[in-house]
């Protein structure tokens, strides 16, 4: 009967292993996205400087979206600009808490087309940072970016979209549980 | 069912206990097989009733009978019940009844675990169905429960749903461990792997698939639970997570899952076709390799369910080609079945009719699957009734017909009584006509652009939807006839012989009908070469 015990313990281990594999898919997916630019995921601030400036001109479009039910005013100071690859660019976004309650928000970036995402380097940004604003408070946050000269030749325009999420409730529950 | 086995106890073995405790405490594979099959039968009528509500609402355009919210709950629970409560338990029930008898084993390897696997299932579905009576109503986010619909926008009962899915998963995993352990360790001496009956082969591979993917599903619902209650952000874009990740994890489970629901059907149909063709199955080895290749390929095709989420072109191409590749082993199986029938001495008893209908109609579902596999075309078909037509063709005249065929084929063996052949054939023809009436026009409205999961639709789809609804009502009624045929066989059927079918091969046919409560206490002698079934 020990052969049965052996089978059962092997299969039980396989089950536990596959359960863990399910969770391992989360970091695997993130790495995979970073390599392929799947979903236009971009990384946080990176330091990049290039010497060869001005070979190609790229059109950049900026979009801002409020997630469902997010009442803040959220916009960029321009909707489009033409930039040269390798050149440092500066622009800014305005956040205004239009409600009468203090709120916490977070803007999530996405670049399209997806395969251009890894060539869009932000040297200074508010990505992955939480914004706390008092009622009626407004701030302007700069965004510095540079387009990698290695950007594939078939891409002549990129779009950077930010979606603003209300994370007040999540942060409150997190603090309460701490 | 207690009437079935009464009076067939061996002198030197204790028979089944009396009363309800027999079923509660049983560790007998035949009892547990019957429990699974009856459970599945009951769930078929519950899930079927939900389908009737859906079709009644869609009989005419406009809001007719139920609110859109309740409609969504019907669609969701119809899917969940049919997948996890009907098809899967029915196959596990067949595995319990047949695997020990087909490999010459006295019982399953882990009889107590077997009891537990079954009895947690009614608990899981009790929890799921109880959500209908709770505040916020039952789950309403579709059987695929995509985040954030199932997390941020879900009714509060989603937590009960998660708990129910965990229990169903545990039940499937325990059942699979049992099946694999039984097949690997308890075959009669002389039955090598490549001499096993094809149903046993198909279940061995299915069980491995279950062990590989059910834990991933458990992981996915655990992540949902943590997102909802513990402030994590696996699928919350606002916290740095990604809703698309949910779809990847879900379909990594979901695609092997759809093969879990069809591979045992391949085994069943192989047995029935060879019996009524009076020829051994054509290409036994290639049948085994085909099942194995389908199972392996099922792990690398999942993203064809989500071509429209925005994938790099290389990804679209990879998943498109790998999906099309599956047509090759599937085609091998279809042609093997046809070759088995070719020049055979065919007779058309009810199980054979259902098996032939399976081959024809499952192939229709397979071909519409090939159409959906073409990534650019899928951008149009995605989330239309064409998809609904496709997966109902592979699941209803596919998986469900194979289960019905199996019940007709082995019912005389299980109960000792023949069913009424005329009533069986009537049931077949009613089902065959109505199933096509129900699902074939769905192709047309789907190609014309009717979206799935909606309680109302544009006027131009009205005629076809009325035909579909009439077909669905007829199909639903036909299954009541099935219940009648089964009950009539059990209570008033003619005695069946041990062999039952003239051309049947395999160890289970060497036993009495019904078999003794304990069979193959000593392993059978395989010298006669009758093992390959």
């Amino acid at each position: 009967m020990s052969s049965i015990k052996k089978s059962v313990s092997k299969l039980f281990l396989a089950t536990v292993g596959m359960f863990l594999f399910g969770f391992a898919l989360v970091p695997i997916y993130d790495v995979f996205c970073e390599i392929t630019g799947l979903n236009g995921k971009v990384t946080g601030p990176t330091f990049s400087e290039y010497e060869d400036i001005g070979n190609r001109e790229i059109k950049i479009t900026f979009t801002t979206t409020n997630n469902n039910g997010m009442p803040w005013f959220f916009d960029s100071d321009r909707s489009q600009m033409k930039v040269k690859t390798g050149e440092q660019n500066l622009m800014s976004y305005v956040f205004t808490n239009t409600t009468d309650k203090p709120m916490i928000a977070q803007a999530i970036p996405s670049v399209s087309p997806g395969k251009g995402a890894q060539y869009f380097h932000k040297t200074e940004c508010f990505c992955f940072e939480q914004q706390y604003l008092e009622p009626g408070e407004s701030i302007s946050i700069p965004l510095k970016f540079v387009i990698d000269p290695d950007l594939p030749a078939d891409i002549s325009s990129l779009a950077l979209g930010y979606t603003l999420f209300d994370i007040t409730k999540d942060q409150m529950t997190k603090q309460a549980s701490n | 069912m207690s009437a079935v086995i009464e009076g067939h106890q061996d002198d030197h073995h204790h028979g089944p206990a009396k009363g309800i405790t027999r079923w509660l405490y049983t560790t007998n594979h035949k009892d547990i097989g019957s429990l699974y099959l009856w459970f599945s039968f009951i769930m078929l009528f519950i899930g079927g009733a939900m389908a009737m509500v859906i079709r009644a609402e869609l009989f005419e355009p406009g809001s007719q009978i139920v609110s859109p919210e309740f409609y969504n709950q019907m669609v969701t629970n119809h899917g969940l019940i049919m997948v996890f409560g009907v098809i899967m338990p029915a196959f596990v029930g067949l595995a319990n009844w047949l695997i020990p008898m087909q490999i010459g084993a006295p019982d399953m390897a882990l009889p107590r675990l077997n009891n537990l696997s079954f009895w947690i299932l009614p608990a899981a579905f009790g929890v799921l169905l109880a959500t209908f009576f709770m505040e916020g109503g039952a789950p309403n986010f579709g059987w695929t429960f995509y985040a954030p619909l199932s997390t941020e926008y879900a009714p509060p009962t989603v937590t009960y749903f998660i708990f129910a899915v965990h229990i169903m998963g545990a039940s499937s995993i325990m059942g699979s461990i049992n099946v694999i352990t039984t097949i690997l360790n308890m075959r009669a001496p002389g039955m090598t792997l490549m001499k096993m009956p094809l149903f046993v082969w198909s279940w061995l591979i299915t069980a491995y698939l279950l062990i590989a993917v059910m834990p991933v599903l458990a992981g996915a619902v655990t992540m949902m639970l943590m997102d909802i209650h513990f402030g994590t952000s696996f699928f919350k874009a606002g916290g740095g997570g990604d809703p698309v990740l949910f779809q990847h994890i879900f379909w990594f489970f979901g695609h092997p899952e759809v093969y879990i629901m069809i591979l045992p059907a391949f085994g069943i149909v192989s047995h029935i076709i060879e019996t009524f063709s009076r020829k051994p199955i054509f290409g036994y080895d290639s049948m085994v390799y085909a099942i194995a290749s389908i199972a392996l390929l099922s792990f690398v095709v999942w993203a064809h369910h989500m071509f429209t989420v925005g994938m790099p072109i290389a990804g679209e191409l990879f998943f498109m080609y790998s999906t099309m590749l599956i047509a090759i082993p599937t085609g091998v199986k279809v042609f093997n079945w046809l070759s088995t029938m070719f020049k055979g001495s065919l007779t058309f008893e009810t199980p054979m009719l259902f098996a032939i209908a399976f081959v024809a109609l499952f192939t229709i579902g397979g071909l519409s699957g090939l159409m959906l596999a073409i990534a650019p075309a899928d951008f149009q078909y995605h989330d239309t009734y064409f998809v609904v037509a496709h997966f109902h063709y592979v699941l209803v005249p596919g998986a469900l017909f194979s289960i019905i065929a199996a019940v007709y084929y082995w019912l005389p063996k299980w109960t000792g009584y023949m069913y009424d052949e005329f009533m069986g054939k009537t049931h077949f023809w009613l089902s065959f006509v109505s199933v096509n009436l129900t699902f074939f026009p769905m192709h047309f409205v789907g190609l014309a652009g009717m979206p799935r999961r909606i309680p109302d639709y544009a006027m131009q789809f009205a005629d076809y939807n009325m035909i579909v609804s009439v077909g669905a009502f007829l199909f639903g009624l036909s299954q009541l006839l099935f219940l009648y045929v089964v009950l009539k066989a059990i209570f008033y059927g003619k005695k069946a012989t041990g062999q039952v079918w003239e051309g049947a091969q395999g160890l289970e046919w060497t036993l009495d009908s019904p078999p003794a409560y304990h069979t193959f206490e000593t392993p059978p002698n395989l010298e006669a070469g009758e093992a390959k079934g």
Side-chain angles (χ1 to χ4, degrees), chain B residues 201-273:
Chain B
W201 252 119
S202 66
W203 241 109
L204 180 65
I205 292 168
T206 303
Y208 274 113
L209 283 183
L210 277 164
I211 285 188
V213 300
M214 289 311 280
V216 176
L217 175 71
V221 291
T222 307
M223 289 178 213
M224 277 169 59
L225 188 76
M226 289 162 84
D227 269 13
I228 295 168
H229 293 293
F230 306 120
T232 57
S233 297
F234 286 105
F235 309 129
K236 249 184 260 171
D242 193 336
V244 177
L245 170 66
F246 177 86
Q247 298 186 26
H248 281 289
I249 297 178
F250 179 83
W251 286 115
F252 183 83
F253 146 79
H255 202 79
E257 165 69 17
V258 305
Y259 292 154
I260 286 162
M261 293 190 285
I262 202 66
L263 294 185
F266 291 165
I268 291 165
V269 167
S270 302
H271 288 299
I272 293 174
I273 287 184

Side-chain angles (χ1 to χ4, degrees), chain B residues 314-329:
Chain B
E316 304 259 344
L317 287 174
F318 171 79
F319 287 110
M320 173 168 135
Y321 293 139
S322 59
T323 304
M324 291 177 158
L325 204 57
I326 293 179
I328 295 170

Side-chain angles (χ1 to χ4, degrees), chain A residues 11, chain B residues 91 95 99 172-173 175-184 187 193-194 196-214 255-267 284-299 329 333:
Chain A
L11 293 166
Chain B
F91 281 143
I99 288 175
S172 297
I173 290 167
S176 306
I177 291 179
N178 213 344
V179 165
I180 297 175
T181 310
T182 307
I183 297 174
L184 293 187
R187 296 191 309 278
L193 283 176
M194 288 313 275
M196 288 197 308
L198 280 171
F199 178 73
V200 178
W201 252 119
S202 66
W203 241 109
L204 180 65
I205 292 168
T206 303
Y208 274 113
L209 283 183
L210 277 164
I211 285 188
V213 300
M214 289 311 280
H255 202 79
E257 165 69 17
V258 305
Y259 292 154
I260 286 162
M261 293 190 285
I262 202 66
L263 294 185
F266 291 165
Y284 171 90
D285 291 12
S286 65
M287 285 302 221
V288 173
Y289 296 135
I291 299 178
S293 358
I294 293 173
L296 286 176
L297 282 171
S298 75
F299 286 102
K333 299 197 74 72

Side-chain angles (χ1 to χ4, degrees), chain A residues 3-4 7-8 11-12 14-15 18-19 21-23 25-26 29 36 38-39 41 67-68 106 108 165 167 170 174, chain B residues 110 153 173 177 180-181 185 211-212 215-216 218-219 222-223 231 234 236-238 242 244-245 248 252 310-312:
Chain A
S3 67
I4 289 186
S7 299
V8 173
L11 293 166
F12 181 74
T15 306
M18 286 311 292
F19 184 73
F21 176 74
F23 282 87
L25 281 173
V26 180
Y29 176 73
T36 60
L38 188 74
N39 299 337
K41 273 206 169 183
N67 193 40
N68 198 11
Q106 182 159 10
I108 303 292
F165 289 85
I167 56 166
D170 292 340
K174 237 181 220 173
Chain B
L110 311 157
Y153 306 103
I173 290 167
I177 291 179
I180 297 175
T181 310
N185 296 297
I211 285 188
V216 176
T222 307
M223 289 178 213
F234 286 105
K236 249 184 260 171
D242 193 336
V244 177
L245 170 66
H248 281 289
F252 183 83
M311 258 189 284

Side-chain angles (χ1 to χ4, degrees), chain B residues 366-431:
Chain B
L367 288 174
S368 59
L370 267 180
M371 289 172 71
L372 287 161
I374 303 166
D378 183 70
F379 274 64
Q380 174 162 352
Y381 307 148
H382 188 86
D383 262 346
T384 67
Y385 258 79
F386 191 78
V387 178
V388 179
H390 158 68
F391 69 71
H392 279 95
Y393 255 94
V394 288
L395 283 176
V396 184
L400 185 65
F401 269 27
S402 82
I403 292 163
I404 295 174
V407 170
Y408 278 115
Y409 184 59
W410 279 291
L411 191 73
K413 173 55 65 190
W414 298 334
T415 64
Y417 299 103
M418 279 305 281
Y419 61 89
D420 181 334
E421 191 62 56
F422 174 76
M423 293 304 279
K425 281 185 175 155
T426 311
H427 170 226
F428 168 75
W429 284 110
L430 280 173
S431 299

Side-chain angles (χ1 to χ4, degrees), chain B residues 475-490:
Chain B
F475 187 75
L477 286 174
S478 313
Q479 304 326 305
L480 291 174
L481 183 64
F482 181 38
L483 179 64
Y484 169 77
V485 177
V486 170
L487 290 176
K488 191 180 166 199
I490 292 172

